[in-house]
Amino acid sequence: MKIKTFALSSLALACFAATSPAVADDEWVDVYGKIILTLDKIDEDNGDDQWEVNSNASRFGIKGKGSAGEGLEAFYQLEWEVDIADSSKSSSDHIKARNQIVGVRGGFGEVFAGRHDTPTKKLQKKIDLFSDLSGDIKYTFNGEKRADNIAQYSTPKMGGFKAKLAVIPGEDTPTNDGLADGTSIALEYKTGKLNLGASFDADVDGDGIDTTRLMAQYKLDSWQFGFMYQDTDNNGVDGDGIMASAKYSSGDNAFKIQVIESDSWEAGVSTKVKYTSQTSLGWDRKLGKKTTFFTYVTLSEEGLTGDEDSIFGLGLVQKF
């Protein structure tokens, strides 16, 4: 309840502050959010066959930036996930912390600290066309980590290159009490419509767990293509996989396909990573600048059991 009260109080304060001309001019307060509501038909081999209304990591947040003097810019972000559909969950599950940071940027690059997606997670860009839905790559790959107690430095862009280094102190583990008990490093290169990237995580998902990720994204006229390869070693137990996605946009419509083949579940990093293959198809229809209707279907095969699961959904995205 304390988290919920604080979050709602912060949102109310931000809405009030946003009406102040001085604050608005300085860009210190920007209230934003996204609601992703779906009506899903779920069919699982283990017997579950039902309709559900799902909130899909709907969120709201406050962010801002402004002069910090000496040619520096300060910035912050406070974001929460909110479940607007399921009242059966405990009150503490209705509002959860997402990325929450404070930092400064300048000619040297950017530094921030707090809670944030690791460079490896951010490296996927938008090649995961079914993020936050049942086809999200977090069910086939590990490395989708939002890390607590993270401090990150990003270089400025240099000839198309940009690097990120994040360290995660092991505050809660007596045997790991150093500054960089977990590290996540990413290198990106962008030229024209081609975007390439590579990242490496060491001990981010746990002691002795190393993850390497490679990414490519290319845009050609109305088409967007994405590819990712990942390999994970969990103390000698290996798992790898690939994914490919394509999106074609025409006017207010977008058609999407995404295919994943992965045995990352064999590495045993997370029970959430359970599928060995997934195929997703989708259609988006923009109804307005901030409103999108969509429909999708995802077919999945569990790695351990071979069970085949499917989900069909109709949804609405509302941004503000």
Side-chain angles (χ1 to χ4, degrees):
M1 288 298 294
K2 291 183 178 179
I3 295 177
K4 181 177 180 180
T5 302
F6 171 74
L8 294 177
S9 299
S10 299
L11 180 59
L13 177 62
C15 292
F16 172 79
T19 62
S20 168
V23 172
D25 290 344
D26 290 341
E27 298 183 74
W28 278 117
V29 176
D30 178 18
V31 179
Y32 66 95
K34 180 165 66 172
I35 299 172
I36 317 167
L37 200 67
T38 57
L39 175 62
D40 297 318
K41 176 62 168 64
I42 298 172
D43 186 2
E44 298 180 341
D45 262 0
N46 66 8
D48 291 336
D49 186 0
Q50 61 191 19
W51 286 90
E52 294 182 0
V53 176
N54 289 306
S55 187
N56 304 294
S58 296
R59 68 208 65 165
F60 70 91
I62 312 163
K63 61 183 177 180
K65 60 183 179 179
S67 174
E70 304 298 329
L72 299 176
E73 180 181 72
F75 63 93
Y76 74 93
Q77 179 184 22
L78 298 171
E79 184 175 293
W80 294 269
E81 176 183 336
V82 56
D83 191 325
I84 67 172
D86 193 350
S87 63
S88 65
K89 296 180 180 179
S90 66
S91 58
S92 61
D93 287 335
H94 284 225
I95 294 183
K96 299 179 181 179
R98 287 175 58 88
N99 291 341
Q100 299 180 343
I101 58 170
V102 63
V104 294
R105 60 171 68 101
F108 67 94
E110 175 183 285
V111 293
F112 66 75
R115 177 189 300 104
H116 199 267
D117 297 337
T118 64
T120 287
K121 181 178 180 180
K122 296 294 288 184
L123 189 70
Q124 65 158 282
K125 300 298 183 183
K126 294 184 179 181
I127 64 173
D128 180 3
L129 301 178
F130 295 87
S131 178
D132 297 322
L133 302 175
S134 61
D136 194 309
I137 64 172
K138 66 185 178 183
Y139 299 115
T140 49
F141 293 107
N142 63 289
E144 296 296 288
K145 181 78 171 179
R146 177 176 295 115
D148 296 335
N149 312 312
I150 190 173
Q152 178 174 308
Y153 167 68
S154 301
T155 68
K157 292 183 180 179
M158 299 174 289
F161 286 95
K162 184 175 183 178
K164 299 178 181 179
L165 168 63
V167 295
I168 306 168
E171 297 182 9
D172 299 325
T173 308
T175 57
N176 295 333
D177 55 6
L179 174 62
D181 290 314
T183 58
S184 182
I185 303 171
L187 178 64
E188 302 174 32
Y189 175 69
K190 185 174 183 180
T191 176
K193 297 181 179 180
L194 177 64
N195 197 345
L196 302 174
S199 68
F200 178 74
D201 280 3
D203 302 322
V204 173
D205 279 319
D207 288 345
I209 301 176
D210 298 333
T211 297
T212 301
R213 177 175 289 186
L214 305 176
M215 177 276 293
Q217 183 183 56
Y218 184 68
K219 296 182 179 180
L220 178 64
D221 298 326
S222 299
W223 288 91
Q224 173 187 303
F225 301 97
F227 174 82
M228 191 175 80
Y229 167 79
Q230 181 169 303
D231 178 78
T232 296
D233 184 297
N234 182 2
N235 294 280
V237 180
D238 188 71
D240 63 0
I242 59 173
M243 72 162 288
S245 65
K247 177 180 178 181
Y248 175 74
S249 300
S250 177
D252 292 330
N253 299 285
F255 304 91
K256 305 180 294 185
I257 182 172
Q258 184 164 294
V259 179
I260 305 174
E261 295 290 335
S262 171
D263 59 10
S264 296
W265 62 274
E266 294 183 347
V269 175
S270 168
T271 56
K272 184 180 292 185
V273 181
K274 61 179 182 178
Y275 291 122
T276 188
S277 69
Q278 276 194 321
T279 299
S280 299
L281 300 170
W283 168 53
D284 295 354
R285 170 73 178 183
K286 288 191 69 66
L287 303 180
K289 186 177 180 180
K290 295 187 176 183
T291 307
T292 302
F293 167 81
F294 66 94
T295 183
Y296 74 102
V297 61
T298 296
L299 307 176
S300 308
E301 180 184 350
E302 293 191 28
L304 182 62
T305 64
D307 289 348
E308 295 182 351
D309 304 334
S310 67
I311 181 169
F312 166 76
L314 302 170
L316 194 70
V317 176
Q318 181 63 57
K319 298 180 180 180
F320 60 88

